[in-house]
Amino acid sequence: MTVSSAPGKVYLFGEHAVVYGEPAVPCAIERRATVTVDARADDHIRVQARDLSLDGFTVEYAGDTAERPDVDVPEGLVDAAMGYIDAAVEQARDAADAPDAGFDITVESEIPLGAGLGSSAAVVVAGIDAATRELGVELSKDEIADRAYRAEYDVQDGQASRADTFCSAMGGAVRVEGDDCRRIETPNLPFVVGFDGGAGDTGELVAGVRDLRAEYGFAADTVESIGDIVRAGEERLYDADPDSEPTADLLAELGRLMDFDHGLLEALGVSSRTLDNMVWAAREAGAHGAKLTGAGGGGCIVALDETPETRTALRYTAECRDAFRAELDREGVRVES
Ligand code: MEV
Protein backbone atom coordinates (compact mmCIF):
# COMPACT_ATOMS: atom_id res chain seq x y z
CA MET A 1 0.00 0.00 0.00
CA THR A 2 1.31 3.48 -0.87
CA VAL A 3 -0.08 6.81 0.33
CA SER A 4 0.84 10.13 -1.33
CA SER A 5 -0.57 13.62 -0.90
CA ALA A 6 -0.41 16.85 -2.88
CA PRO A 7 -1.57 20.41 -2.13
CA GLY A 8 -4.28 22.55 -3.67
CA LYS A 9 -3.55 26.12 -4.78
CA VAL A 10 -4.86 29.64 -5.13
CA TYR A 11 -4.08 31.92 -8.06
CA LEU A 12 -2.39 35.12 -6.93
CA PHE A 13 -2.82 36.20 -10.58
CA GLY A 14 -3.29 34.95 -14.10
CA GLU A 15 -5.94 32.20 -14.37
CA HIS A 16 -7.60 31.90 -17.77
CA ALA A 17 -5.01 34.12 -19.47
CA VAL A 18 -2.44 31.37 -18.80
CA VAL A 19 -4.36 29.11 -21.20
CA TYR A 20 -3.32 31.58 -23.99
CA GLY A 21 0.37 31.68 -23.15
CA GLU A 22 0.30 34.59 -20.69
CA PRO A 23 2.16 34.06 -17.40
CA ALA A 24 0.35 33.11 -14.17
CA VAL A 25 1.39 32.86 -10.51
CA PRO A 26 -0.44 30.12 -8.60
CA CYS A 27 0.58 29.39 -4.99
CA ALA A 28 0.24 26.00 -3.29
CA ILE A 29 -1.73 26.05 -0.03
CA GLU A 30 -1.78 23.71 2.95
CA ARG A 31 -4.96 21.87 1.96
CA ARG A 32 -4.19 18.45 0.58
CA ALA A 33 -5.64 15.59 -1.41
CA THR A 34 -4.39 12.25 -0.12
CA VAL A 35 -4.48 9.19 -2.38
CA THR A 36 -3.98 5.64 -1.10
CA VAL A 37 -3.16 3.01 -3.71
CA ASP A 38 -3.12 -0.77 -3.28
CA ALA A 39 -2.02 -2.93 -6.20
CA ARG A 40 -4.52 -5.63 -7.18
CA ALA A 41 -3.94 -9.07 -8.64
CA ASP A 42 -6.24 -8.30 -11.60
CA ASP A 43 -6.47 -5.26 -13.93
CA HIS A 44 -9.56 -3.71 -12.25
CA ILE A 45 -9.74 -0.23 -10.76
CA ARG A 46 -11.86 0.38 -7.67
CA VAL A 47 -12.16 3.93 -6.33
CA GLN A 48 -13.48 5.25 -3.04
CA ALA A 49 -13.55 9.01 -2.66
CA ARG A 50 -14.32 10.86 0.55
CA ASP A 51 -14.61 14.44 1.73
CA LEU A 52 -14.36 15.99 -1.69
CA SER A 53 -16.03 19.14 -0.36
CA LEU A 54 -15.32 21.13 2.77
CA ASP A 55 -18.56 19.70 4.20
CA GLY A 56 -17.49 16.21 3.38
CA PHE A 57 -19.45 13.58 1.53
CA THR A 58 -18.92 10.06 0.36
CA VAL A 59 -18.83 8.67 -3.14
CA GLU A 60 -18.11 5.02 -3.52
CA TYR A 61 -18.08 3.17 -6.75
CA ALA A 62 -16.63 0.14 -8.35
CA GLY A 63 -16.91 0.03 -12.11
CA ASP A 64 -19.77 2.27 -13.25
CA THR A 65 -21.86 2.63 -10.11
CA ALA A 66 -21.53 5.93 -8.30
CA GLU A 67 -23.56 7.10 -5.34
CA ARG A 68 -24.23 10.80 -5.93
CA PRO A 69 -23.25 13.30 -3.26
CA ASP A 70 -25.93 15.56 -1.87
CA VAL A 71 -24.09 18.85 -2.41
CA ASP A 72 -24.47 21.80 -4.69
CA VAL A 73 -22.10 20.85 -7.50
CA PRO A 74 -22.88 20.90 -11.22
CA GLU A 75 -24.18 17.73 -12.81
CA GLY A 76 -21.31 15.55 -13.96
CA LEU A 77 -18.68 16.98 -11.63
CA VAL A 78 -18.28 13.72 -9.74
CA ASP A 79 -17.93 11.87 -13.05
CA ALA A 80 -15.30 14.44 -14.02
CA ALA A 81 -13.42 13.76 -10.75
CA MET A 82 -13.45 10.07 -11.53
CA GLY A 83 -12.22 10.91 -15.07
CA TYR A 84 -9.16 12.58 -13.52
CA ILE A 85 -8.46 9.47 -11.44
CA ASP A 86 -8.69 7.24 -14.50
CA ALA A 87 -6.34 9.55 -16.40
CA ALA A 88 -3.85 9.44 -13.49
CA VAL A 89 -3.99 5.64 -13.52
CA GLU A 90 -3.23 5.62 -17.26
CA GLN A 91 -0.20 7.86 -16.71
CA ALA A 92 1.06 5.63 -13.87
CA ARG A 93 0.62 2.47 -15.97
CA ASP A 94 2.52 4.11 -18.81
CA ALA A 95 5.34 5.40 -16.56
CA ALA A 96 5.80 1.96 -14.97
CA ASP A 97 5.35 0.12 -18.26
CA ALA A 98 2.56 -1.90 -16.63
CA PRO A 99 -0.48 -1.49 -18.92
CA ASP A 100 -2.55 -4.11 -17.07
CA ALA A 101 -1.89 -2.95 -13.50
CA GLY A 102 -5.03 -2.82 -11.34
CA PHE A 103 -5.51 -0.78 -8.15
CA ASP A 104 -7.78 -0.15 -5.20
CA ILE A 105 -7.70 3.64 -4.78
CA THR A 106 -8.94 5.78 -1.92
CA VAL A 107 -9.08 9.56 -2.26
CA GLU A 108 -9.44 11.79 0.80
CA SER A 109 -9.42 15.47 0.06
CA GLU A 110 -9.53 18.67 2.10
CA ILE A 111 -10.00 20.62 -1.14
CA PRO A 112 -13.53 21.37 -2.33
CA LEU A 113 -14.30 19.90 -5.70
CA GLY A 114 -14.31 22.24 -8.71
CA ALA A 115 -14.10 25.32 -6.50
CA GLY A 116 -10.93 26.91 -7.86
CA LEU A 117 -8.47 25.41 -5.37
CA GLY A 118 -6.95 22.87 -7.73
CA SER A 119 -8.68 19.75 -6.40
CA SER A 120 -8.34 17.80 -9.65
CA ALA A 121 -4.66 18.67 -10.08
CA ALA A 122 -3.91 17.63 -6.47
CA VAL A 123 -5.71 14.30 -6.92
CA VAL A 124 -3.96 13.60 -10.24
CA VAL A 125 -0.50 14.54 -8.88
CA ALA A 126 -0.88 12.49 -5.67
CA GLY A 127 -2.48 9.61 -7.64
CA ILE A 128 0.37 9.38 -10.14
CA ASP A 129 2.96 9.51 -7.34
CA ALA A 130 1.24 6.82 -5.25
CA ALA A 131 0.41 4.49 -8.15
CA THR A 132 3.91 4.60 -9.68
CA ARG A 133 5.56 4.05 -6.28
CA GLU A 134 3.19 1.12 -5.71
CA LEU A 135 4.55 -0.34 -8.98
CA GLY A 136 8.13 0.18 -7.79
CA VAL A 137 8.89 3.32 -9.84
CA GLU A 138 9.89 6.66 -8.29
CA LEU A 139 9.31 9.67 -10.56
CA SER A 140 10.90 13.10 -10.14
CA LYS A 141 8.55 15.98 -9.23
CA ASP A 142 9.14 17.37 -12.74
CA GLU A 143 8.00 14.16 -14.37
CA ILE A 144 4.96 13.89 -12.08
CA ALA A 145 4.06 17.49 -13.00
CA ASP A 146 4.43 16.72 -16.71
CA ARG A 147 2.38 13.51 -16.55
CA ALA A 148 -0.29 15.19 -14.42
CA TYR A 149 -0.52 17.97 -17.00
CA ARG A 150 -1.01 15.40 -19.76
CA ALA A 151 -3.75 13.71 -17.69
CA GLU A 152 -5.57 17.06 -17.17
CA TYR A 153 -5.07 17.97 -20.82
CA ASP A 154 -6.79 14.72 -21.90
CA VAL A 155 -9.71 15.09 -19.47
CA GLN A 156 -10.20 18.78 -20.37
CA ASP A 157 -10.05 18.14 -24.14
CA GLY A 158 -6.84 20.04 -24.65
CA GLN A 159 -7.93 23.13 -22.68
CA ALA A 160 -5.51 23.09 -19.78
CA SER A 161 -2.38 24.96 -18.80
CA ARG A 162 0.49 23.48 -16.80
CA ALA A 163 -0.20 25.88 -13.92
CA ASP A 164 -2.33 23.82 -11.51
CA THR A 165 -0.45 20.55 -11.89
CA PHE A 166 3.05 22.11 -11.76
CA CYS A 167 2.11 24.09 -8.65
CA SER A 168 0.67 21.06 -6.87
CA ALA A 169 3.70 18.88 -7.69
CA MET A 170 6.35 21.49 -6.73
CA GLY A 171 4.64 23.40 -3.93
CA GLY A 172 5.33 27.05 -3.10
CA ALA A 173 4.64 29.93 -5.46
CA VAL A 174 5.32 29.14 -9.10
CA ARG A 175 5.42 31.04 -12.36
CA VAL A 176 4.02 29.35 -15.45
CA GLU A 177 4.17 30.73 -18.99
CA GLY A 178 3.41 28.15 -21.68
CA ASP A 179 5.81 25.25 -21.13
CA ASP A 180 8.16 27.38 -19.02
CA CYS A 181 7.42 26.51 -15.39
CA ARG A 182 9.52 27.48 -12.37
CA ARG A 183 9.40 28.01 -8.61
CA ILE A 184 9.65 31.57 -7.34
CA GLU A 185 10.63 32.45 -3.80
CA THR A 186 8.12 34.71 -2.07
CA PRO A 187 7.50 35.88 1.47
CA ASN A 188 4.71 34.06 3.29
CA LEU A 189 1.66 35.77 1.79
CA PRO A 190 -1.37 36.02 4.14
CA PHE A 191 -4.06 34.32 2.03
CA VAL A 192 -7.67 34.15 3.17
CA VAL A 193 -10.05 31.94 1.20
CA GLY A 194 -13.83 32.37 1.02
CA PHE A 195 -15.92 29.48 -0.31
CA ASP A 196 -19.52 29.87 -1.49
CA GLY A 197 -20.24 26.11 -1.27
CA GLY A 198 -20.60 25.83 -5.03
CA ALA A 199 -18.42 25.03 -8.00
CA GLY A 200 -17.81 26.03 -11.59
CA ASP A 201 -17.41 23.93 -14.70
CA THR A 202 -13.82 24.58 -15.80
CA GLY A 203 -14.34 23.26 -19.35
CA GLU A 204 -17.39 25.49 -19.94
CA LEU A 205 -15.76 28.56 -18.41
CA VAL A 206 -12.55 28.13 -20.43
CA ALA A 207 -14.64 27.64 -23.59
CA GLY A 208 -16.60 30.82 -22.79
CA VAL A 209 -13.40 32.88 -22.64
CA ARG A 210 -12.14 31.22 -25.83
CA ASP A 211 -15.34 32.20 -27.71
CA LEU A 212 -15.31 35.76 -26.37
CA ARG A 213 -11.66 36.15 -27.30
CA ALA A 214 -12.31 34.84 -30.82
CA GLU A 215 -15.27 37.19 -31.31
CA TYR A 216 -13.97 40.45 -29.87
CA GLY A 217 -10.56 42.03 -30.20
CA PHE A 218 -11.10 43.81 -26.88
CA ALA A 219 -11.62 40.44 -25.13
CA ALA A 220 -8.26 39.31 -26.55
CA ASP A 221 -6.78 42.59 -25.25
CA THR A 222 -8.33 41.88 -21.84
CA VAL A 223 -6.57 38.50 -21.73
CA GLU A 224 -3.27 40.25 -22.62
CA SER A 225 -3.89 42.85 -19.91
CA ILE A 226 -4.17 40.05 -17.35
CA GLY A 227 -0.70 39.01 -18.52
CA ASP A 228 0.50 42.58 -17.91
CA ILE A 229 -0.90 42.43 -14.36
CA VAL A 230 1.02 39.22 -13.73
CA ARG A 231 4.26 40.75 -15.06
CA ALA A 232 3.78 43.79 -12.80
CA GLY A 233 3.03 41.55 -9.79
CA GLU A 234 5.97 39.25 -10.28
CA GLU A 235 8.36 42.22 -10.47
CA ARG A 236 7.19 43.17 -6.99
CA LEU A 237 7.64 39.60 -5.78
CA TYR A 238 11.20 39.39 -7.17
CA ASP A 239 12.08 42.60 -5.27
CA ALA A 240 10.74 41.20 -1.97
CA ASP A 241 12.85 39.38 0.63
CA PRO A 242 11.46 35.80 0.77
CA ASP A 243 12.85 35.30 4.29
CA SER A 244 11.03 38.26 5.84
CA GLU A 245 7.39 39.04 6.46
CA PRO A 246 5.82 40.85 3.48
CA THR A 247 6.03 44.62 3.79
CA ALA A 248 2.91 46.84 3.89
CA ASP A 249 3.93 48.29 0.51
CA LEU A 250 4.20 44.85 -1.09
CA LEU A 251 0.80 43.77 0.25
CA ALA A 252 -0.83 47.02 -0.88
CA GLU A 253 0.61 46.69 -4.40
CA LEU A 254 -0.22 42.98 -4.78
CA GLY A 255 -3.73 43.68 -3.46
CA ARG A 256 -4.30 46.47 -5.97
CA LEU A 257 -3.21 44.16 -8.80
CA MET A 258 -5.48 41.37 -7.50
CA ASP A 259 -8.43 43.79 -7.56
CA PHE A 260 -7.55 44.76 -11.12
CA ASP A 261 -7.25 41.09 -12.14
CA HIS A 262 -10.67 40.31 -10.66
CA GLY A 263 -12.21 43.18 -12.63
CA LEU A 264 -10.83 41.80 -15.89
CA LEU A 265 -11.94 38.24 -15.06
CA GLU A 266 -15.39 39.64 -14.32
CA ALA A 267 -15.37 41.37 -17.72
CA LEU A 268 -14.51 38.02 -19.31
CA GLY A 269 -17.67 36.57 -17.77
CA VAL A 270 -16.14 34.07 -15.36
CA SER A 271 -17.17 35.60 -12.04
CA SER A 272 -20.56 35.19 -10.37
CA ARG A 273 -22.71 37.20 -7.99
CA THR A 274 -21.61 35.11 -4.99
CA LEU A 275 -17.93 35.46 -5.88
CA ASP A 276 -18.35 39.22 -6.43
CA ASN A 277 -20.17 39.62 -3.11
CA MET A 278 -17.43 37.76 -1.25
CA VAL A 279 -14.77 39.85 -3.02
CA TRP A 280 -16.55 43.05 -1.92
CA ALA A 281 -17.03 41.75 1.64
CA ALA A 282 -13.28 41.08 1.84
CA ARG A 283 -12.38 44.52 0.47
CA GLU A 284 -14.79 46.27 2.84
CA ALA A 285 -13.28 44.35 5.76
CA GLY A 286 -9.91 45.89 4.90
CA ALA A 287 -8.25 43.19 2.78
CA HIS A 288 -5.40 44.53 0.64
CA GLY A 289 -7.14 43.00 -2.39
CA ALA A 290 -9.40 40.14 -3.39
CA LYS A 291 -10.23 38.16 -6.50
CA LEU A 292 -11.80 34.91 -7.62
CA THR A 293 -9.38 32.00 -7.86
CA GLY A 294 -9.33 29.30 -10.53
CA ALA A 295 -11.87 28.91 -13.29
CA GLY A 296 -14.59 30.92 -11.50
CA GLY A 297 -18.34 30.57 -11.98
CA GLY A 298 -18.68 29.76 -8.27
CA GLY A 299 -16.42 28.31 -5.60
CA CYS A 300 -13.66 30.33 -3.97
CA ILE A 301 -12.17 33.78 -3.74
CA VAL A 302 -8.74 34.62 -2.36
CA ALA A 303 -7.96 37.77 -0.40
CA LEU A 304 -4.77 39.13 1.16
CA ASP A 305 -5.07 40.07 4.82
CA GLU A 306 -2.67 39.49 7.69
CA THR A 307 -5.37 40.29 10.30
CA PRO A 308 -8.42 38.11 11.15
CA GLU A 309 -10.84 40.82 9.91
CA THR A 310 -11.44 39.49 6.39
CA ARG A 311 -12.03 35.93 7.54
CA THR A 312 -14.49 37.11 10.18
CA ALA A 313 -16.32 39.38 7.74
CA LEU A 314 -16.55 36.59 5.17
CA ARG A 315 -18.03 34.24 7.77
CA TYR A 316 -20.83 36.78 8.31
CA THR A 317 -21.42 37.19 4.57
CA ALA A 318 -24.60 35.45 3.41
CA GLU A 319 -22.97 34.03 0.27
CA CYS A 320 -20.00 32.56 2.15
CA ARG A 321 -20.21 28.96 3.34
CA ASP A 322 -16.73 28.80 4.85
CA ALA A 323 -13.71 31.06 5.21
CA PHE A 324 -10.23 30.07 6.26
CA ARG A 325 -6.63 31.22 6.34
CA ALA A 326 -4.53 29.33 3.78
CA GLU A 327 -0.82 29.01 4.54
CA LEU A 328 1.62 28.69 1.64
CA ASP A 329 2.63 25.03 1.23
CA ARG A 330 6.31 24.91 0.22
CA GLU A 331 6.56 21.12 -0.10
CA GLY A 332 4.37 19.94 -3.00
CA VAL A 333 3.73 16.25 -3.59
CA ARG A 334 5.04 13.91 -0.87
CA VAL A 335 4.82 10.26 0.02
CA GLU A 336 3.08 9.72 3.36
CA SER A 337 3.73 5.99 3.83
C1 MEV B 1 -8.25 26.52 -13.59
O1 MEV B 1 -7.83 26.24 -12.25
C2 MEV B 1 -7.32 27.55 -14.20
C3 MEV B 1 -7.62 27.89 -15.66
O2 MEV B 1 -6.65 28.89 -16.02
C4 MEV B 1 -7.48 26.68 -16.57
C5 MEV B 1 -6.05 26.18 -16.70
O3 MEV B 1 -5.10 26.92 -16.46
O4 MEV B 1 -5.90 25.01 -17.11
C6 MEV B 1 -8.99 28.49 -15.82
Side-chain angles (χ1 to χ4, degrees):
M1 186 179 85
T2 310
V3 185
S4 297
S5 73
K9 59 102 223 323
V10 292
Y11 271 89
L12 185 57
F13 314 113
E15 55 272 89
H16 283 287
V18 69
V19 176
Y20 303 99
E22 298 293 343
V25 179
C27 301
I29 58 169
E30 284 182 350
R31 288 236 160 191
R32 289 189 162 251
T34 301
V35 180
T36 303
V37 175
D38 244 323
R40 292 173 61 109
D42 57 24
D43 62 356
H44 292 193
I45 304 296
R46 184 170 186 282
V47 179
Q48 272 194 18
R50 286 199 203 97
D51 299 333
L52 290 171
S53 90
L54 287 183
D55 263 4
F57 61 82
T58 302
V59 184
E60 289 193 19
Y61 79 94
D64 289 337
T65 7
E67 197 181 299
R68 298 282 170 199
D70 182 21
V71 292
D72 181 20
V73 294
E75 184 77 4
L77 205 62
V78 175
D79 285 343
M82 297 313 155
Y84 287 109
I85 293 167
D86 286 346
V89 166
E90 281 316 310
Q91 287 297 328
R93 284 173 167 161
D94 183 63
D97 201 13
D100 297 325
F103 304 104
D104 287 331
I105 299 173
T106 304
V107 180
E108 288 167 293
S109 178
E110 304 165 336
I111 311 165
L113 194 60
L117 299 185
S119 56
S120 59
V123 167
V124 169
V125 164
I128 292 174
D129 189 57
T132 46
R133 284 177 188 274
E134 183 69 2
L135 295 173
V137 174
E138 200 173 317
L139 302 180
S140 67
K141 284 187 177 179
D142 277 310
E143 183 161 2
I144 293 168
D146 186 52
R147 287 190 172 274
Y149 163 65
R150 285 191 257 155
E152 279 216 331
Y153 187 90
D154 287 347
V155 179
Q156 291 170 207
D157 291 330
Q159 298 187 88
S161 72
R162 292 181 178 273
D164 292 22
T165 40
F166 184 77
C167 184
S168 183
M170 296 298 161
V174 304
R175 183 205 196 262
V176 173
E177 183 171 9
D179 290 341
D180 179 16
C181 306
R182 54 184 98 144
R183 277 276 301 249
I184 52 180
E185 296 311 320
T186 67
N188 209 3
L189 298 172
F191 294 124
V192 178
V193 172
F195 175 42
D196 69 7
D201 182 325
T202 301
E204 251 174 44
L205 291 152
V206 171
V209 174
R210 182 195 57 211
D211 294 348
L212 213 54
R213 192 172 162 270
E215 191 170 351
Y216 298 112
F218 50 80
D221 293 345
T222 303
V223 168
E224 270 180 43
S225 296
I226 292 178
D228 291 338
I229 290 173
V230 182
R231 283 179 277 273
E234 66 182 325
E235 283 306 313
R236 296 309 313 266
L237 287 174
Y238 292 141
D239 289 346
D241 176 359
D243 299 320
S244 304
E245 288 305 306
T247 62
D249 278 358
L250 175 69
L251 293 175
E253 179 71 11
L254 294 178
R256 191 176 321 142
L257 294 169
M258 288 169 76
D259 286 344
F260 213 134
D261 195 354
H262 182 77
L264 298 185
L265 290 165
E266 217 262 318
L268 290 172
V270 298
S271 192
S272 69
R273 187 180 284 270
T274 54
L275 293 176
D276 288 344
N277 286 355
M278 289 193 295
V279 160
W280 277 105
R283 289 173 184 164
E284 283 168 7
H288 300 282
K291 59 182 279 296
L292 67 82
T293 174
C300 293
I301 65 141
V302 57
L304 275 190
D305 187 2
E306 66 280 43
T307 76
E309 308 300 331
T310 296
R311 203 180 29 177
T312 306
L314 281 170
R315 286 193 170 145
Y316 284 103
T317 303
E319 292 77 12
C320 185
R321 179 112 151 253
D322 195 7
F324 53 90
R325 181 163 290 290
E327 299 297 330
L328 190 66
D329 174 287
R330 297 189 191 267
E331 202 177 354
V333 63
R334 67 171 181 237
V335 63
E336 303 284 350
S337 62

